[in-house]
Amino acid sequence: MGKDIQPTNLLSPGGNLEAYIQAVNSVPMLSAEQEAELATRLFEKDDLEAARQLVFAHLRFVVYVARSYAGYGLPEADLIQEGNVGLMKAVRRYNPEFKVRLVSFAVHWIKAEMHEFILKNWRIVKIATTKAQRKLFFNLRSSKKRLGWMNEQEVHDIAHELGVEPHTVRQMEGRLASRDQSFDLPENDDEDSISPVQYLEDSSHDPGELVEAEDSLDHDHKRLMNAFGDLDGRAREIITARWLSEKKLTLHQLADRFGISAERVRQLEQNALKKLRGKLGSL
């Protein structure tokens, strides 16, 4: 462990970030077998020591994720601390029967906490209060070709690309322009001020796009799983074999499996898809 970091303090970087990173990197990584054993103890017996070991072994991954958001001018230590919260939430919700490594399961929770922190604390984001406005804000920043006001053609091109009305693009551009300021802060400015040099965008990891994509994917997946769970066992097996399996089965193969005609299998498949469409609104 780093000399300024004790094991009980690993969840918070504190004032010595370098020592913290050295400390978390010194925590041994878990093998798949060790991870499964600890996860089972936590899941079945609510073993808090097992939870602690699972969290500590994955703190280095939180540091790795936090560094991908360095371009937003927020303290890395704060991003790490928020990511650690997400990691702890993931560990509490992790089920060893998922048959995936904890790191794959936890990445969504870690990023979600960091995204929420960025959206709350990166000041300019506050001009976009709804999900639709956030999406337009992040896309507009990446789409603008120059610092001045856009001409009509640029406005219409961006509106067409993002599927919004031109006046909506103009409105958001006005909000962006209203926060313009010098590239560097004046020497006598207060500590709460922020300048473009502090929030230069890291275009390789755009939290706006990630939040939008992950929220949508997670929501759609939950709806699909709920709808799928309402089907009877035979219908679920047919849909899985016909649509979800890597090696899809034919109607005749399923007919042989269930001892019914291929036409009956087709009817069951269509009925199941109709029920799913009804639950989801559309596929």
Side-chain angles (χ1 to χ4, degrees):
M1 297 291 177
K3 63 181 181 179
D4 297 321
I5 303 292
Q6 299 301 317
T8 54
N9 296 331
L10 282 180
L11 295 179
S12 176
N16 193 335
L17 182 60
E18 182 179 351
Y20 173 84
I21 293 174
Q22 290 178 354
V24 298
N25 285 336
S26 70
V27 178
M29 299 180 67
L30 300 173
S31 66
E33 293 75 16
Q34 290 173 321
E35 181 180 294
E37 190 271 332
L38 289 170
T40 300
R41 281 167 47 191
L42 174 60
F43 186 75
E44 295 181 353
K45 302 178 181 179
D46 202 25
D47 188 329
L48 296 184
E49 174 59 23
R52 187 189 70 84
Q53 293 184 46
L54 286 169
V55 170
F56 283 10
H58 289 82
L59 292 175
R60 68 176 70 201
F61 179 69
V62 176
V63 173
Y64 171 79
V65 175
R67 285 178 169 172
S68 68
Y69 298 115
Y72 283 83
L74 296 171
E76 185 176 344
D78 290 346
L79 285 168
I80 291 171
Q81 186 161 325
E82 295 299 319
N84 287 346
V85 173
L87 173 61
M88 288 186 287
K89 289 182 178 180
V91 168
R92 173 53 65 183
R93 291 167 173 80
Y94 181 62
N95 185 337
E97 294 182 0
F98 289 157
K99 302 301 181 184
V100 297
R101 294 298 298 268
L102 175 57
V103 68
S104 299
F105 177 80
V107 64
H108 167 79
W109 297 93
I110 294 169
K111 287 184 176 181
E113 293 296 324
M114 291 184 185
H115 293 166
E116 187 66 23
F117 176 75
I118 291 170
L119 292 174
K120 285 182 178 179
N121 292 277
W122 199 45
R123 284 190 174 186
I124 199 165
V125 177
K126 293 181 181 179
I127 67 175
T129 56
T130 68
K131 180 178 287 189
Q133 288 174 339
R134 292 181 195 177
K135 183 177 180 181
L136 176 58
F137 166 73
F138 283 110
N139 280 279
L140 186 57
R141 276 185 57 83
S142 64
S143 298
K144 287 193 66 170
K145 302 296 190 298
R146 53 190 170 81
L147 294 178
W149 289 88
M150 294 182 292
N151 59 40
E152 287 301 316
Q153 185 59 50
E154 288 174 325
V155 170
H156 281 82
D157 288 346
I158 291 175
H160 176 73
E161 180 182 349
L162 302 181
V164 298
E165 295 296 326
H167 73 84
T168 304
V169 177
R170 279 293 190 201
Q171 183 182 52
M172 183 58 71
E173 183 185 30
R175 293 185 183 184
L176 285 168
S178 67
R179 300 297 295 269
D180 286 347
Q181 50 189 275
S182 64
F183 186 77
D184 295 300
L185 289 174
E187 292 184 1
N188 61 349
D189 217 328
D190 62 62
E191 62 179 13
D192 291 329
S193 297
I194 189 168
S195 75
V197 72
Q198 294 170 275
Y199 57 69
L200 286 175
E201 181 176 359
D202 178 0
S203 59
S204 62
H205 296 84
D206 189 326
E209 294 179 0
L210 289 171
V211 168
E212 183 75 19
E214 290 177 5
D215 284 354
S216 177
L217 181 62
D218 185 55
H219 177 67
D220 290 345
H221 181 265
K222 288 179 179 177
R223 291 180 65 208
L224 177 59
M225 289 300 98
N226 288 335
F228 193 68
D230 289 339
L231 299 176
D232 62 63
R234 184 167 62 173
R236 287 199 299 270
E237 190 170 347
I238 290 173
I239 294 299
T240 299
R242 293 280 291 160
W243 294 88
L244 304 178
S245 298
E246 184 174 344
K247 186 177 181 181
K248 296 177 174 56
L249 299 183
T250 66
L251 293 174
H252 290 285
Q253 287 174 317
L254 288 170
D256 291 340
R257 174 183 295 183
F258 295 116
I260 57 179
S261 67
E263 174 59 22
R264 181 55 181 159
V265 173
R266 188 192 67 78
Q267 292 174 356
L268 292 171
E269 177 187 20
Q270 292 303 311
N271 288 338
L273 290 175
K274 184 178 179 180
K275 289 181 180 179
L276 289 176
R277 290 189 184 99
K279 291 284 186 179
L280 300 177
S282 64
L283 286 177

